[in-house]
């Protein structure tokens, strides 16, 4: 097996609770920051891995004791790759007048390509935690309040309200 294939296998088999900070960062010839090895990964496979991470964290959320008494099990949200700017991910819960909720996660596709491990191991559980609080505790008002923090701790992820990924550089329009 070549060194390159070992690096690739390490990404695909990495536990979702592993520390994303262990992945070294590097800069390309244009000075853009990337996780080491990210440029060689197939973006479609990375998106599929992210979808598996969503499934994993939703299953973890369904295992939180006591939540099953508050509402039916949280459904799997849709994942949309449409964010721009500096926001890595966004959880959206939309309620109809009848009280029915639809949920989805918005993901920044370019940050996913540059930082796949950070997005999968920190951003996705962060956004799923928002959906969990919206689903089971809809009256909670603080986005990164104690309920959200408790879900993050249950997930074994640090309850950080921000990411450490370098934003994208855009030319300013006049």
């Amino acid at each position: 097996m070549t060194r390159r294939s070992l690096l690739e296998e390490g990404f695909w088999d990495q536990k979702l609770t592993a520390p994303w900070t262990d992945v070294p960062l590097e800069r390309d010839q244009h000075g853009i920051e990337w996780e080491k090895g990210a440029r060689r990964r197939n973006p479609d496979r990375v998106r599929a891995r992210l979808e598996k991470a969503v499934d994993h964290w939703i299953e973890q959320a369904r295992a939180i004791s006591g939540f099953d008494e508050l509402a039916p099990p949280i459904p799997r949200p849709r994942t949309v790759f449409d964010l721009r700017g500096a926001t890595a991910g966004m959880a959206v819960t939309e309620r109809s007048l009848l009280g029915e909720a639809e949920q989805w996660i918005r993901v920044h596709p370019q940050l996913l390509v540059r930082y796949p491990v950070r997005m999968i191991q920190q951003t996705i559980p962060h956004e799923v935690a928002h959906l969990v609080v919206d689903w089971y505790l809809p009256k909670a008002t603080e986005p990164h309040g104690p309920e959200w923090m408790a879900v993050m701790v249950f997930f074994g992820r640090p309850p950080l309200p921000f990411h450490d990924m370098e934003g994208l550089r855009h030319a300013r329009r006049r």
Side-chain angles (χ1 to χ4, degrees):
M1 220 179 250
T2 67
R3 185 168 190 269
R4 181 175 178 204
S5 63
L6 286 173
L7 286 172
E8 288 298 305
E9 283 181 23
F11 171 73
W12 304 115
D13 299 331
Q14 191 173 40
K15 290 183 180 178
L16 293 171
T17 55
W20 70 92
T21 53
D22 288 350
V23 178
L25 300 171
E26 59 188 10
R27 293 201 178 271
D28 65 13
Q29 67 273 20
H30 304 291
I32 297 171
E33 186 177 74
W34 295 74
E35 285 178 348
K36 189 170 183 126
R39 285 178 278 175
R40 292 187 300 269
R41 295 202 179 99
N42 179 327
D44 292 333
R45 287 189 67 200
V46 171
R47 283 184 180 201
R49 178 77 167 116
L50 183 134
E51 295 282 358
K52 284 184 182 179
V54 171
D55 293 338
H56 169 82
W57 295 113
I58 289 293
E59 285 305 313
Q60 293 296 310
R62 290 176 181 160
I64 298 173
S65 90
F67 275 2
D68 54 347
E69 298 168 9
L70 299 174
I74 185 170
R76 189 200 188 285
R78 287 185 298 131
T79 308
V80 183
F81 300 90
D82 68 345
L83 274 181
R84 303 262 182 257
T87 305
M90 182 183 292
V92 180
T93 300
E94 205 171 80
R95 295 195 183 276
S96 71
L97 294 175
L98 300 174
E100 297 170 358
E102 183 181 357
Q103 296 184 314
W104 62 94
I105 296 173
R106 297 178 64 198
V107 175
H108 195 302
Q110 293 161 323
L111 287 178
L112 176 60
V113 168
R114 287 177 43 205
Y115 301 98
V117 175
R118 282 167 172 73
M119 292 288 285
I120 289 169
Q121 292 183 3
Q122 181 62 19
T123 303
I124 293 304
H126 176 117
E127 301 310 332
V128 169
H130 282 300
L131 296 179
V132 168
V133 171
D134 289 347
W135 184 260
Y136 292 110
L137 305 166
K139 295 188 191 301
T141 56
E142 293 181 58
H144 297 112
E147 301 88 354
W148 175 84
M149 287 184 195
V151 174
M152 289 295 285
V153 169
F154 179 84
F155 285 169
R157 305 279 72 195
L160 302 172
F162 53 85
H163 66 78
D164 63 350
M165 295 174 272
E166 187 177 88
L168 301 175
R169 297 176 187 165
H170 293 287
R172 293 178 74 181
R173 293 185 182 177
R174 294 184 184 207

